[in-house]
Amino acid sequence: MPSVLSLWRTTTRLPRGDRLFSFVFARKAPYFASIAPRFTVVEPNRAELVVRDRRRVHNHIGTVHAIALCNGLEAAMGALAEVTIPPGKRWIPKGMTVAYTAKATTDITCIAETDPEQWSSDDPDLPVRVRGVRDDGEVVIEGEIRLWVTPRQG
């Protein structure tokens, strides 16, 4: 499979290419398909995707479910990690801490961000900042996903 960044660059040149990329990405990690993410930004140190506000991701009060939001944040983080990690290293998530700060009553844009210098550190513990934002700009979830970044074996 081509790298995530080259796949993004190739598919987004096509009509509806962001949707094609999102479909392929979700097939690589099938659980992500449960939220049908639509990636809008994939670049080193930043990824964004939209989780649509629809019944299949709702909770009992009719808002986007907290676990659907976490799934969106993890998908954004995964794309960011894949396009940012230096050659010769590998990553694995080791934990997520989030706070729910408002009701998720619209489509939610899930954003993952890092700073370039984080990836050159010898410290294997790398925090990725994540947040989910409603259409009106209100943050509904925020936190961090901690990665374990180590040298790739053989």
Side-chain angles (χ1 to χ4, degrees):
M1 182 171 172
S3 77
V4 171
L5 188 57
S6 66
L7 182 63
W8 172 256
R9 289 177 175 160
T10 300
T11 57
T12 54
R13 284 184 251 164
L14 304 170
R16 298 173 58 89
D18 60 334
R19 294 177 193 274
L20 175 61
F21 173 88
S22 299
F23 176 78
V24 171
F25 188 89
R27 299 239 342 145
K28 184 73 174 159
Y31 186 71
F32 292 146
S34 68
I35 59 166
R38 184 176 46 85
F39 282 86
T40 56
V41 175
V42 176
E43 60 190 32
N45 299 298
R46 187 175 181 91
E48 296 184 18
L49 62 84
V50 175
V51 175
R52 289 191 354 242
D53 176 24
R54 60 193 196 292
R55 183 162 165 55
R56 79 185 263 197
V57 297
H58 279 181
N59 57 25
H60 66 289
I61 61 171
T63 62
V64 180
H65 193 284
I67 299 305
L69 296 172
C70 287
N71 197 4
L73 295 176
E74 188 172 7
M77 174 281 303
L80 173 150
E82 284 296 312
V83 304
T84 310
I85 195 161
K89 291 194 174 186
R90 63 183 178 175
W91 64 273
I92 189 164
K94 69 181 222 175
M96 173 187 277
T97 305
V98 295
Y100 307 110
T101 56
K103 289 183 180 178
T105 55
T106 68
D107 292 352
I108 303 299
T109 300
C110 295
I111 303 162
E113 297 175 302
T114 55
D115 299 316
E117 59 274 3
Q118 289 179 264
W119 295 92
S120 59
S121 171
D122 288 333
D123 184 356
D125 191 43
L126 191 148
V128 178
R129 297 178 308 277
V130 292
R131 69 184 183 280
V133 182
R134 275 191 324 224
D135 289 345
D136 65 2
E138 181 82 19
V139 174
V140 300
I141 186 171
E142 62 187 343
E144 72 177 24
I145 300 174
R146 299 196 83 73
L147 303 182
W148 189 250
V149 179
T150 59
R152 190 173 293 280
Q153 301 298 316

